[in-house]
């Protein structure tokens, strides 16, 4: 999934990005509020992790503008402000969750997983598809009970396809979810990941089909 982190404190931002990347997400990071607001208007995200105190444009202002544009992207607000008024303001402006600094990164990751589940209409961290079992919390995939050796992007791509079997995912949408601004993304890279996944999930009772000109879909066979 693709996540935007908006945080101006460098060491905090770096730690959040590292944590989200370990979870398998493609992450973009902006430190300036106005730049972040501009980015949101041209790039779609599955989640925004938003600090409140930012240069030029506050997190509250970004959130207000986001919802005024009818953008329903889930937003997790991170702030050093612990007053009840600030928490209420964030939620009333349209935040989906709120976490006060300093926080434990295990809690951050759990809240991110919860927001992602909610967005996908799922109630658990486990995806079952054919003979595949994907544990999104543990970042483990098993085929008939045996763990598969997958790279971070292979696992993320499999998670995207298996979470919605039958849905067709265009290449550009998969590229968007797998690669951030600083990554070298290409349709050829997607083709390579798909080819590797097909080999590794052989015998799982599912297959990844190519629909020429449309994209890829996971099908239970």
């Amino acid at each position: 999934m693709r996540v935007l982190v908006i945080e101006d404190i460098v060491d905090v931002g770096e730690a959040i990005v590292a944590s989200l990347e370990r979870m398998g997400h493609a992450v973009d990071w902006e430190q300036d509020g106005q730049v972040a607001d501009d980015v949101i208007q041209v790039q779609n995200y599955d989640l925004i992790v938003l600090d409140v105190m930012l240069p030029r444009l506050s997190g509250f202002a970004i959130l207000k503008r986001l919802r005024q544009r009818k953008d329903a992207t889930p937003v997790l607000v991170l702030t050093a402000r612990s007053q009840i008024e600030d928490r209420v303001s964030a939620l009333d402006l349209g935040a989906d969750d709120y976490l006060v600094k300093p926080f434990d990164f295990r809690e951050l990751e759990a809240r991110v997983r919860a927001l992602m589940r909610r967005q996908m209409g799922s109630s658990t961290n486990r995806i079952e598809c054919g003979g595949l079992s994907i544990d999104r919390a543990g970042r483990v995939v098993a085929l008939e009970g045996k763990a598969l050796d997958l790279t971070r992007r292979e696992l993320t791509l499999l998670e995207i396809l298996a979470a919605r079997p039958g849905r067709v995912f265009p290449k550009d949408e998969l590229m968007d979810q797998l690669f951030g601004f600083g990554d070298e993304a290409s349709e050829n890279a997607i083709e390579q990941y798909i080819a590797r996944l097909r080999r590794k999930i052989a015998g799982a009772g599912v297959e990844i089909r190519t629909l020429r000109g449309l994209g890829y879909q996971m099908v239970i066979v």
Side-chain angles (χ1 to χ4, degrees):
M1 307 300 176
R2 189 153 182 179
V3 181
L4 175 62
V5 174
I6 309 174
E7 167 63 67
D8 65 320
I9 301 176
V10 174
D11 57 347
V12 175
E14 288 177 342
I16 293 172
V17 169
S19 177
L20 293 172
E21 287 182 341
R22 284 195 301 271
M23 295 175 69
H25 302 300
V27 186
D28 297 327
W29 174 26
E30 297 294 344
Q31 297 171 262
D32 181 280
Q34 185 60 62
V35 173
D37 187 58
D38 293 340
V39 168
I40 293 169
Q41 296 182 60
V42 297
Q43 175 63 53
N44 293 324
Y45 289 97
D46 298 291
L47 175 69
I48 297 172
V49 179
L50 176 64
D51 187 32
V52 171
M53 302 298 291
L54 297 165
R56 295 210 292 165
L57 193 65
S58 74
F60 285 155
I62 292 172
L63 180 57
K64 184 177 181 179
R65 292 183 181 188
L66 184 78
R67 298 313 187 211
Q68 286 176 338
R69 295 192 295 267
K70 309 299 182 185
D71 189 326
T73 302
V75 176
L76 173 61
V77 172
L78 303 178
T79 178
R81 299 179 175 185
S82 59
Q83 290 84 355
I84 185 64
E85 291 82 4
D86 292 320
R87 298 199 295 273
V88 170
S89 295
L91 295 170
D92 282 346
L93 284 171
D96 297 271
D97 202 355
Y98 194 104
L99 193 57
V100 178
K101 300 175 182 175
F103 52 84
D104 189 303
F105 278 89
R106 292 172 297 177
E107 183 177 4
L108 170 67
E109 293 172 6
R111 289 178 181 271
V112 167
R113 286 192 295 270
L115 288 171
M116 292 294 192
R117 289 198 309 270
R118 187 186 308 168
Q119 185 184 28
M120 298 175 67
S122 176
S123 59
T124 72
N125 286 320
R126 189 170 296 277
I127 299 173
E128 304 287 346
C129 187
L132 293 173
S133 178
I134 303 172
D135 179 355
R136 288 183 286 193
R139 302 295 293 164
V140 175
V141 179
L143 169 54
E144 303 297 349
K146 182 178 180 181
L148 294 181
D149 182 17
L150 301 180
T151 66
R152 177 174 64 87
R153 285 205 174 109
E154 287 171 353
L155 196 158
T156 301
L157 178 55
L158 181 62
E159 178 185 342
I160 292 168
L161 296 171
R164 299 178 182 177
R167 180 185 163 182
V168 179
F169 290 87
K171 283 184 182 179
D172 57 356
E173 182 177 345
L174 294 175
M175 288 171 59
D176 243 11
Q177 295 197 50
L178 289 177
F179 300 99
F181 287 140
D183 299 320
E184 292 187 10
S186 68
E187 291 189 357
N188 184 58
I190 296 295
E191 293 170 1
Q192 291 179 8
Y193 285 127
I194 291 290
R196 293 175 195 165
L197 276 179
R198 281 174 172 151
R199 291 195 297 270
K200 292 182 178 183
I201 66 172
V206 297
E207 62 180 47
I208 303 173
R209 292 181 179 171
T210 301
L211 283 74
R212 192 170 300 279
L214 295 176
Y216 301 100
Q217 70 177 165
M218 178 76 79
V219 178
I220 298 175
V221 295

